[in-house]
Amino acid sequence: MKRGEPGPTARFRTRFRNRLRTRLRTRFRNRYGASPLHLVVVLCSFALTAYAGIRLLDGHVLGVVLWFAGAAVLHDFVLVPLYSLADRALRTAGGRMRRPRGARTGEAAARREDIAYVRVPAFVSLVLLLVWYPLISGRVGHYTSYTTLDSGVFMGRWLLVTAALFAVSALCLAVRTLRRRGRGRKRRARRAASADR
């Protein structure tokens, strides 16, 4: 045994500790389904939600309960059918797009998947409109008196955010399309090379 090197007892203790940690982590993951850090984050989010709920319900319980019930009814009976109908229309329009000559069915399916590049920015933009509707529409007269900020800028800002969302989505779609074309060219070149042999 060299100088400064741990003895057999220290090595045994280290191995024992490492095995015990591994077993405990594995047992915890098997029972809980995720890491201990996940549990800590979930518990912190519950604590934050409880704090926000207590602050929110302080004095206006009936108004908050009515607001939540109204939001659930509005979402389930008005908004879900509307955006399901819009999604169906987009999918139908995407399915009718003409396939280029020589395109395979996988490429046509990939084109139908491109609808997500319209769906995601539209969804985020509509959620922002729904949340900030009173300010965007200018229906809050007391906003300027309370905050001393101009309330007329929100429509322009929402339009800019919407334009930015669609621009980023279009950029992502362009990158994906270029990658798809590059892969298609490589496949065709490999097939041509294997056919020449």
Side-chain angles (χ1 to χ4, degrees):
M1 185 168 78
K2 293 180 183 175
R3 195 173 209 187
E5 198 175 287
T9 310
R11 282 193 301 249
F12 175 76
R13 278 192 216 134
T14 305
R15 278 192 212 136
F16 180 75
R17 270 193 232 125
N18 289 341
R19 285 182 185 162
L20 183 63
R21 278 188 204 139
T22 306
R23 281 185 188 164
L24 288 175
R25 280 188 201 137
T26 305
R27 190 174 289 169
F28 184 82
R29 268 190 197 273
N30 289 341
R31 288 182 184 259
Y32 178 66
S35 70
L37 179 63
H38 182 270
L39 178 63
V40 170
V41 170
V42 167
L43 290 176
C44 287
S45 70
F46 283 150
L48 181 64
T49 303
Y51 171 75
I54 290 169
R55 296 285 298 186
L56 185 66
L57 294 174
D58 189 26
H60 304 290
V61 176
L62 183 62
V64 172
V65 169
L66 285 175
W67 188 85
F68 272 116
V73 167
L74 175 73
H75 177 266
D76 291 348
F77 293 114
V78 177
L79 296 178
V80 168
L82 280 177
Y83 54 70
S84 297
L85 205 95
D87 187 52
R88 174 73 54 107
L90 273 173
R91 284 184 175 274
T92 304
R96 288 186 184 154
M97 289 190 326
R98 286 189 54 182
R99 250 184 3 188
R101 278 180 106 184
R104 304 203 181 274
T105 53
E107 292 173 12
R111 284 183 169 221
R112 283 193 302 273
E113 290 172 4
D114 292 344
I115 293 170
Y117 291 96
V118 175
R119 186 188 306 153
V120 171
F123 173 75
V124 172
S125 176
L126 287 174
V127 167
L128 289 174
L129 177 64
L130 188 65
V131 170
W132 300 104
Y133 178 74
L135 289 174
I136 290 171
S137 63
R139 294 181 183 235
V140 183
H142 58 276
Y143 178 80
T144 304
S145 62
Y146 284 150
T147 62
T148 67
L149 299 172
D150 185 24
S151 64
V153 297
F154 291 101
M155 174 66 92
R157 289 180 182 171
W158 175 72
L159 290 172
L160 282 173
V161 167
T162 300
L165 286 168
F166 277 98
V168 168
S169 184
L171 182 66
C172 291
L173 177 61
V175 168
R176 180 179 179 195
T177 304
L178 290 174
R179 282 185 178 173
R180 192 184 311 146
R181 284 184 185 166
R183 284 189 211 125
R185 285 186 191 134
K186 286 179 185 176
R187 270 191 235 123
R188 284 191 293 273
R190 273 191 241 130
R191 284 186 195 139
S194 65
D196 289 342
R197 290 181 188 173

